[in-house]
Each structure stands twice: as structure tokens, then as C-alpha cells.
Amino acid sequence: MDNTKQNPTVSERFVSLAPHVRSNDTTQKIMRDVIIALVPAMAGSIYFFGMNAAMLMAVCVASCVLAEFIFQKAMKKEVRIGDLSAVVTGILIAFNLPATAPWWMAAFGSAFAIIVIKECFGGIGSNFMNPAIGARIVIMASWAKLMTDYVSPEMVKNGGQLVVNDAWAVSSASADAVAYATPLGMLKAGTYEQLPSLMDMATGNIGGVIGETSAILLLIGALYLIVRKVMSPLIPVVYIATTAVVLVIAGVPVEYLPYHILGGGLILGAFFMATDYASSPINVKGKIIFAIGCGVVTAVIRTKASLPEGVSYAIALMNVCTPLIDRLTRTEAYGEAK
């Protein structure tokens, strides 16, 4: 949800069917609305995980903005940090980190997202993948242990204070505080008796990465974007519904579906990442295909792969498929597509 599609590079251009809507929206206005929508989840992250969550968000935002400024200056391009897209990317990257993440890892992921995923492919509107998704995948592949050192909000409140050590890494004062299994991990392990209450999962009083735990706060932000017409609910609704259906087909008991929907990054990914203007299809048919693909891949990974989560990989895979989906579902300027 952090970029607008601009400057198509394909030589063959096409125009969607009329009527065309004229809008006074700018990238900066859209990004400002997205930041406002993320504020409830940001506040919830700080409430549940302490000031370290605030520090990680600050590091990611500062790193994204600085990386974009330096790259655009170095390449003698127009400096566009004022459009706020780098700020949105930074917040989303922080949301994908555990509260124990070291700041250098957050800075690396942020720089990678802006320089490699965004700017090297032409800048805003030309990136082939959501930059925050790309950063999460690279960080997970490089430092899997640090990315899965989860603490629960209860651990933080009961003495598992997070401190910055001399190795520039954030660690817990209590060794036991970095051993929390997420609800998706419990589902994967079959330890259903350890699952938290659905109320805790909805409010965010569970362990996990700092920005994806509170479904209610994320949905409040998503509702704001829908009301402001910044985002259509089509992709998120189809994505989540498809995930639920395929999970049931794959053998997940219906009574555990709410845990799959509220747990992990499904809500965050469906509403704030899969809807990225630049890396999602243009027309309605394409968006539906894209969302169904995200749901199928997410459910398959969660039930058949070794990982308990699959949202990042599902969105990244479908981002890569977006040009093909756009080509197969494009409309003609006059008449119906064959």
C-alpha cells in the first residue's frame, strides 16, 4: 500500500475502458492517509511491546528516508522523500520485526527495501514487489534466529525488559523472555491447548512481530482507508476468504480458522501490503486473480510447508505474477477484450 503505479516501462501501452475518473489525489496525500491509518497499530505496538517498538519504527523510517535521499542524490534524480512513501515503507518494515530485533538489522532491511527493491527498478511506481515484503524476506533468510526471537506482551510487562547490549543488538534481560511461540507456531506444532484466547488475539495481547498482532487496530486503520477511498476492500476480502476456504480443504478444523485469520500477518499483509498500487494488478478481474493466488499460496505454506507463516512469500510470488495477470486481464480502449 506504499506506492502508486507510475511511468509504465512496457513499450506496449493500453487504456482501460471508460469512464475514467479524474482525481485530485497526490502520492503525498495518499501516503499521509496510510500513515494515519497505521497510527492505531503503531500505538498498540508501543503499548504491548514497550519503547523498543518505537525505537524500531524510528530506525526503519529514518533509514528508509535517508537511503532514498542518498540514492536519489547520488543518481542525480529528483529527491522525492517528501511524497512520504519511504515513511510508509519504514513503518511496514518495522511492523514485520519482532520487538527483540537489533537496530542494525532494521536499518539493513530498510536500506535494502528502498535501494534494491524500489530505486534500482525505477523508483516509486516501478517496483515489481512491495518493498516492505522484500525486506522481510531478505531479513528472514539472513537472520532467521533473530527474526523469530519473539516475546509476548506479558513477558515484557513482567520483567522481560528489552535492553540494548554492547553488541548493538537488542536482547531480553531474561533468557526465558525470548522463547515465546506464536499462535501460528502452536497451530503448526499441534499444541492447541496452549493457544491464547481469541480476545487476546484480536486485541494484540500475544507474541509475534510488533505490528501484526492486533487485528482490531489494523482493521480500524483499514476501515479509515476504505472510507477515504484510498483502498478498495476487494483484494483483502478475497485474499482472506480464499485463505480460509483452502485451509479447510487442506484439513484445518473450522474451529481453528479464527486463529489462522487473526494470527500471523494475514490481516496486515492483506490490507496494507497486497493492496500496494505499484505491485498489484490494475483491473478488477486481475485483482481477484491476484488475491485468490495470495490466499492459496498462504494456506498451502501454512499447512504443507515447514513454515507456520506464508503471507510474505505469497504476496511476493503474486507480485512477480502481476505483469502477467495484467496482460491476461487487460481491457481494450474500445470494445471488449477477446
Side-chain angles (χ1 to χ4, degrees):
M1 188 75 249
D2 60 344
N3 281 320
T4 53
K5 188 170 288 188
Q6 297 178 343
N7 304 321
T9 57
V10 295
S11 57
E12 185 181 358
R13 299 168 186 268
F14 62 92
V15 180
S16 61
L17 291 172
H20 303 292
V21 177
R22 180 179 176 82
S23 172
N24 292 323
D25 287 340
T26 64
T27 301
Q28 186 185 59
K29 288 174 64 177
I30 293 172
M31 293 301 113
R32 185 165 58 238
D33 275 335
V34 176
I35 293 170
I36 292 172
L38 292 170
V39 166
M42 292 167 64
S45 299
I46 297 171
Y47 173 78
F48 289 119
F49 297 106
M51 291 308 297
N52 194 58
M55 189 198 76
L56 286 173
M57 285 185 271
V59 169
C60 288
V61 169
S63 300
C64 282
V65 173
L66 183 61
E68 186 165 86
F69 176 81
I70 292 174
F71 185 91
Q72 291 174 344
K73 274 289 187 183
M75 295 295 108
K76 302 186 185 306
K77 297 172 61 178
E78 178 188 359
V79 175
R80 302 190 59 175
I81 58 174
D83 64 20
L84 302 178
S85 62
V87 175
V88 173
T89 298
I91 296 172
L92 292 177
I93 292 173
F95 276 15
N96 282 277
L97 298 175
T100 54
W103 71 265
W104 56 262
M105 191 172 76
F108 172 85
S110 302
F112 180 87
I114 295 297
I115 295 174
V116 178
I117 304 294
K118 184 178 177 182
E119 292 296 334
C120 284
F121 286 87
I124 185 168
S126 299
N127 50 284
F128 71 101
M129 179 185 297
N130 184 296
I133 289 287
R136 175 181 169 122
I137 291 174
V138 167
I139 295 174
M140 177 65 82
S142 303
W143 299 284
K145 176 65 170 60
L146 292 175
M147 281 292 284
T148 53
D149 276 348
Y150 300 122
V151 291
S152 70
E154 186 177 357
M155 289 173 175
V156 174
K157 292 176 182 176
N158 293 333
Q161 296 297 321
L162 301 171
V163 296
V164 180
N165 65 24
D166 292 337
W168 293 353
V170 177
S171 64
S172 170
S174 167
D176 292 335
V178 290
Y180 183 87
T182 64
L184 290 186
M186 296 171 191
L187 288 169
K188 196 74 174 181
T191 54
Y192 303 121
E193 69 282 358
Q194 297 179 12
L195 285 169
S197 69
L198 285 176
M199 179 58 72
D200 279 345
M201 293 194 64
T203 57
N205 190 30
I206 57 174
V209 299
I210 63 175
E212 69 182 22
T213 59
S214 178
I216 290 178
L217 297 178
L218 289 170
L219 290 174
I220 289 173
L223 180 62
Y224 171 80
L225 292 181
I226 293 170
V227 172
R228 293 278 295 167
K229 300 186 184 304
V230 172
M231 175 181 69
S232 162
L234 178 63
I235 287 179
V237 170
V238 175
Y239 182 179
I240 294 172
T242 302
T243 302
V245 171
V246 179
L247 284 172
V248 173
I249 294 173
V252 173
V254 174
E255 61 264 33
Y256 293 122
L257 277 184
Y259 292 96
H260 272 283
I261 294 173
L262 297 176
L266 186 55
I267 300 292
L268 175 65
F271 283 95
F272 292 97
M273 295 180 173
T275 52
D276 180 9
Y277 291 169
S279 54
S280 61
I282 296 172
N283 60 43
V284 172
K285 189 185 297 182
K287 290 179 188 296
I288 293 173
I289 295 172
F290 175 86
I292 291 174
C294 287
V296 170
V297 176
T298 297
V300 169
I301 291 176
R302 286 188 176 187
T303 55
K304 304 301 180 185
S306 58
L307 297 173
E309 177 63 288
V311 170
S312 297
Y313 298 103
I315 296 175
L317 178 61
M318 295 310 297
N319 283 161
V320 175
C321 294
T322 291
L324 176 62
I325 295 173
D326 276 337
R327 175 174 290 275
L328 295 176
T329 60
R330 71 181 183 182
T331 56
E332 301 292 341
Y334 300 100
E336 294 292 333
K338 295 180 180 177

